Amino acid sequence: MHRLDGLVIMVQPMKRIVRNGKRILVPVTEKVADYKRYDKQRMRNEPERINFYKSKRWQKVRRIKLINNPLCEVCSTPDSPVLAEMVDHMIETNTTEGWSHRFDEEYLQSMCWSCHNTKTFSRD
Ligand SMILES: [Zn+2]
């Protein structure tokens, strides 16, 4: 049985994620746990946040940000431009600081979905 246990650990599927700016390998199960934790945080101060994301004021700030910065601010380069598809809050809106700056353009970044997913699933 011990040999089998060892084998199970060895063949455990791993995922590469970015954490604290470093690329590391983690078990897939940890990635799922990360996601669940994030989901729990998100639920904390709903429905105020839901109303915020639906508000006319945020829609306008978001639109202006994408007009001013139409390219992904994380991965786009002059040689290979990548269109931004969403506007990300650099500081999560479920934190006090992030919430107080939720409309401030200097706290926003245009992002493609790929970069946003990397950020979402690698947060601590
Ligand atoms: Zn990107």
Side-chain angles (χ1 to χ4, degrees), residues 59-104:
Q59 294 297 327
K60 190 180 173 189
V61 167
R62 182 185 174 281
R63 197 164 54 237
I64 291 168
K65 174 66 183 167
L66 284 173
I67 290 167
N68 291 341
N69 301 86
L71 300 176
C72 176
E73 294 183 62
V74 177
C75 71
S76 187
T77 63
D79 289 337
S80 61
V82 178
L83 267 185
E85 293 156 298
M86 54 85 60
V87 172
D88 173 66
H89 286 93
M90 291 182 198
I91 306 174
E92 301 306 314
T93 54
N94 59 10
T95 64
T96 309
E97 195 188 359
W99 181 255
S100 65
H101 292 291
R102 66 195 181 282
F103 292 115
D104 297 348

Side-chain angles (χ1 to χ4, degrees), residues 89-121:
H89 286 93
M90 291 182 198
I91 306 174
E92 301 306 314
T93 54
N94 59 10
T95 64
T96 309
E97 195 188 359
W99 181 255
S100 65
H101 292 291
R102 66 195 181 282
F103 292 115
D104 297 348
E105 192 168 338
E106 62 262 45
Y107 286 82
L108 303 175
Q109 54 188 346
S110 300
M111 266 193 188
C112 69
W113 280 115
S114 171
C115 286
H116 183 250
N117 287 341
T118 302
K119 181 185 171 182
T120 300
F121 294 120

